[in-house]
Amino acid sequence: MNPAPFRALARAVPAAALLLVMTACTDDSPPSAAASSSEPASPQASTARAATTPTGRTTAMNIRLTLDGHRIAATLNDSPTARDFAAQLPLTLSLRDLNQAEKTADLPRKLSTSGAPEGADPEVGDLAYYAPWNQLATYYRDAPYATGLVILGHMADGGAERLATADEITIEAAP
């Protein structure tokens, strides 16, 4: 059985759901007469949308990686696993190369995988959690789908090139 069609479907369904939610939540109606009157408007909560990465993954938190002294911007997505990872920051971890495609590091404690997909197909620049080994996985080359892999976020352009030669990573919330 060829898993490629299933991976394509697994990528398309969340994007379609997000599009439906965002479309349903927009307010394209013209301003009401009450809003244009001289009466003060009631305060409302901010409705700013989260940013999205080029792959369409919604981001929730800006972080900063330091790879052998070089700072790289990155973002974490809005998943329970990524939020649990963010709660551990700041972290400084030793990196090991795996399959000449990714760098891995042991995390201090297991992360929640509640609601996480069964696995993921990482992209160059992705930050991920490999649950079976309790490791942070960071990708500088293409790698195949892996069961137990949860995407946490993505590095800004240029981060993957620095990652390929890095021996240590520091991860902290962006100022």
Side-chain angles (χ1 to χ4, degrees), residues 8-9 21 38 87 89 94 101 104 113 125 131 153 166:
L9 182 60
V21 168
S38 59
L89 301 181
S94 295
T104 63
T113 55

Side-chain angles (χ1 to χ4, degrees), residues 16-114:
L18 178 62
L19 180 61
L20 285 172
V21 168
M22 296 199 58
T23 303
C25 293
T26 60
D27 183 13
D28 292 332
S29 60
S32 67
S36 61
S37 73
S38 59
E39 294 178 28
S42 62
Q44 295 182 352
S46 170
T47 57
R49 291 191 181 113
T52 57
T53 64
T55 60
R57 298 173 182 178
T58 302
T59 60
M61 179 181 186
N62 292 323
I63 59 172
R64 181 175 57 207
L65 311 177
T66 304
L67 297 166
D68 290 338
H70 300 279
R71 290 185 174 168
I72 305 292
T75 53
L76 294 178
N77 61 40
D78 190 23
S79 69
T81 307
R83 287 191 298 270
D84 196 18
F85 176 72
Q88 292 189 29
L89 301 181
L91 289 171
T92 298
L93 306 167
S94 295
L95 295 171
R96 292 177 304 281
D97 195 81
L98 183 65
N99 300 323
Q100 298 178 336
E102 66 185 280
K103 296 282 183 147
T104 63
D106 295 328
L107 291 173
R109 67 168 173 81
K110 289 192 172 282
L111 301 179
S112 166
T113 55
S114 174

